[in-house]
Amino acid sequence: MNDNIDKAMQPEEEEGIFCTLTDEDGKEIDFEVIGEAEIDGAYYYAMEPVGAENSDDGIIEYVLLKKDTDEDGEEVFVTIDDEDEFDKVAAYFDEMFDDEADYDA
């Protein structure tokens, strides 16, 4: 997923927040927001494709997106192209999910 990704947030029941994202090819994909964070003044989201299976060793694969504003003032999710920024955000979410797994044990 590159460039801008439109968003349509739709809160579901108490299970969580789900959204449908449209990629640059016009394909719609349903995601569940599994984490969100403000880091250095920007908002980031960890999202898991709806219906995705965890790996055999319990690892959850997810995508990281940054909330931004397009030229029309609409909120959009964008991919994180800067490698250092991506690494910082990924480390934050990895630690957050590791802490949650340890807490649940």
Side-chain angles (χ1 to χ4, degrees):
M1 292 185 175
N2 295 325
D3 302 320
N4 289 346
I5 301 172
D6 296 327
K7 71 155 180 109
M9 295 291 264
Q10 302 170 349
E12 294 279 325
E13 297 174 9
E14 294 183 24
E15 296 176 12
I17 297 176
F18 295 84
C19 60
T20 300
L21 303 179
T22 304
D23 68 13
E24 63 274 0
D25 297 325
K27 181 180 176 187
E28 290 186 348
I29 305 167
D30 294 326
F31 286 89
E32 179 179 8
V33 177
I34 58 172
E36 55 187 280
E38 179 181 358
I39 302 171
D40 296 334
Y43 293 92
Y44 300 92
Y45 296 84
M47 298 185 186
E48 180 180 34
V50 172
E53 305 258 341
N54 293 348
S55 66
D56 291 337
D57 55 0
I59 295 175
I60 299 172
E61 291 193 26
Y62 56 91
V63 296
L64 296 175
L65 298 172
K66 180 179 182 178
K67 184 169 72 172
D68 203 355
T69 306
D70 68 10
E71 58 276 351
D72 296 325
E74 297 290 321
E75 288 184 348
V76 294
F77 289 124
V78 296
T79 55
I80 305 168
D81 295 327
D82 180 87
E83 188 175 331
D84 291 333
E85 179 183 14
F86 182 88
D87 290 345
K88 184 178 197 175
V89 173
Y92 176 88
F93 281 109
D94 285 345
E95 183 176 322
M96 181 176 81
F97 296 141
D98 284 346
D99 287 347
E100 287 178 5
D102 292 342
Y103 182 73
D104 291 339

